[in-house]
Amino acid sequence: NAGVTQTPKFQVLKTGQSMTLQCAQDMNHEYMSWYRQDPGMGLRLIHYSVGAGITDQGEVPNGYNVSRSTTEDFPLRLLSAAPSQTSVYFCASRSTGTSYNEQFFGPGTRLTVL
Amino acid sequence: AQSVSQHNHHVILSEAASLELGCNYSYGGTVNLFWYVQYPGQHLQLLLKYFSGDPLVKGIKGFEAEFIKSKFSFNLRKPSVQWSDTAEYFCAVPMYSGGGADGLTFGKGTHLIIQP
């Protein structure tokens, strides 16, 4: 199993550009989520999904859209990038059940918005 | 929503020193607690977790943590650190108590540097 994969690893955007960060998992996990990591802030939840067709907002959802058309994929879209979205983005997934099930993280996407 | 705080943002130790990193959480009913580690340039990995039973939890690489309900704490410990323990350490709790469809709330992290 590849686990959780993310593409691209690095991306530089100009303010106002749009892009999609890809996330896929091959563990048949129902729960998937996106976090951003900023220095001194830890990780903050952007959006999450409990299954195909179902998404919900996390702590910092503004400026980001998500969709979940399949169990495997959970892309994160930036419609109009802003410098404040410069961050490292991590996708995570976990199996169904209780919240103490381990979340598996992808390798991250380092995004810079100029 | 539940919250978690980590007391030490930067810690520098010499090899073989003992380590204790503090973590406190807000009360929210069902208590599930995690410690994650992020080695330089890598993604987060689970060190250990607590969800019930023995309050002293053992994880990978010689780490352990003790859940103290009366203090709302879940401190991470290691008796003798190694240079390879240099990493960022995060304490985390489910965002909402009771489990279910939610993500994690992370502390701001502790950057641990082990000097040879």
Side-chain angles (χ1 to χ4, degrees):
Chain A
N1 286 352
V4 180
T5 58
Q6 292 182 237
T7 56
K9 290 186 178 180
F10 302 95
Q11 183 70 50
V12 179
L13 293 177
K14 295 181 180 179
T15 296
Q17 286 185 314
S18 63
M19 80 158 295
T20 300
L21 308 185
Q22 300 292 344
C23 174
Q25 52 91 10
D26 60 0
M27 298 174 281
N28 202 31
H29 287 168
E30 289 197 359
Y31 299 149
M32 296 186 73
S33 50
W34 277 101
Y35 296 84
R36 59 178 289 173
Q37 183 181 26
D38 302 292
M41 300 292 291
L43 279 80
R44 292 179 292 169
L45 182 66
I46 304 171
H47 285 285
Y48 66 93
S49 169
V50 303
I54 306 170
T55 64
D56 207 344
Q57 296 181 349
E59 183 183 0
V60 288
N62 293 340
Y64 307 95
N65 280 354
V66 292
S67 60
R68 184 95 180 270
S69 56
T70 67
T71 299
E72 294 78 19
D73 300 299
F74 190 44
L76 178 72
R77 280 183 287 275
L78 285 72
L79 299 178
S80 179
S84 61
Q85 294 178 305
T86 293
S87 188
V88 182
Y89 291 85
F90 289 98
C91 180
S93 74
R94 69 173 176 87
S95 62
T96 55
T98 59
S99 60
Y100 57 75
N101 287 341
E102 178 183 354
Q103 295 216 21
F104 293 85
F105 285 83
T109 294
R110 186 173 293 274
L111 175 67
T112 301
V113 183
L114 303 175
Chain B
Q2 302 194 107
S3 64
V4 61
S5 62
Q6 293 181 239
H7 315 304
N8 320 98
H9 297 303
H10 296 277
V11 174
I12 301 175
L13 295 173
S14 298
E15 278 193 313
S18 64
L19 169 72
E20 181 161 1
L21 302 182
C23 172
N24 285 94
Y25 63 94
S26 64
Y27 174 75
T30 303
V31 178
N32 299 320
L33 299 156
F34 304 83
W35 274 99
Y36 279 85
V37 60
Q38 185 179 27
Y39 296 104
Q42 297 187 26
H43 58 89
L44 276 79
Q45 304 171 44
L46 183 67
L47 265 182
L48 47 79
K49 63 183 179 183
Y50 170 83
F51 53 91
S52 66
D54 189 342
L56 185 60
V57 179
K58 294 192 182 299
I60 61 172
K61 304 187 180 186
F63 286 90
E64 64 180 30
E66 184 175 12
F67 167 57
I68 303 179
K69 188 175 181 179
S70 61
K71 295 184 178 180
F72 300 101
S73 70
F74 190 56
N75 292 354
L76 182 70
R77 299 194 296 245
K78 186 170 184 179
S80 176
V81 294
Q82 302 171 306
W83 177 79
S84 58
D85 292 325
T86 294
E88 190 96 20
Y89 292 82
F90 295 95
C91 185
V93 296
M95 187 161 283
Y96 297 101
S97 64
D102 55 22
L104 294 174
T105 293
F106 286 84
K108 294 185 177 182
T110 297
H111 188 200
L112 175 66
I113 296 174
I114 307 300
Q115 297 177 330

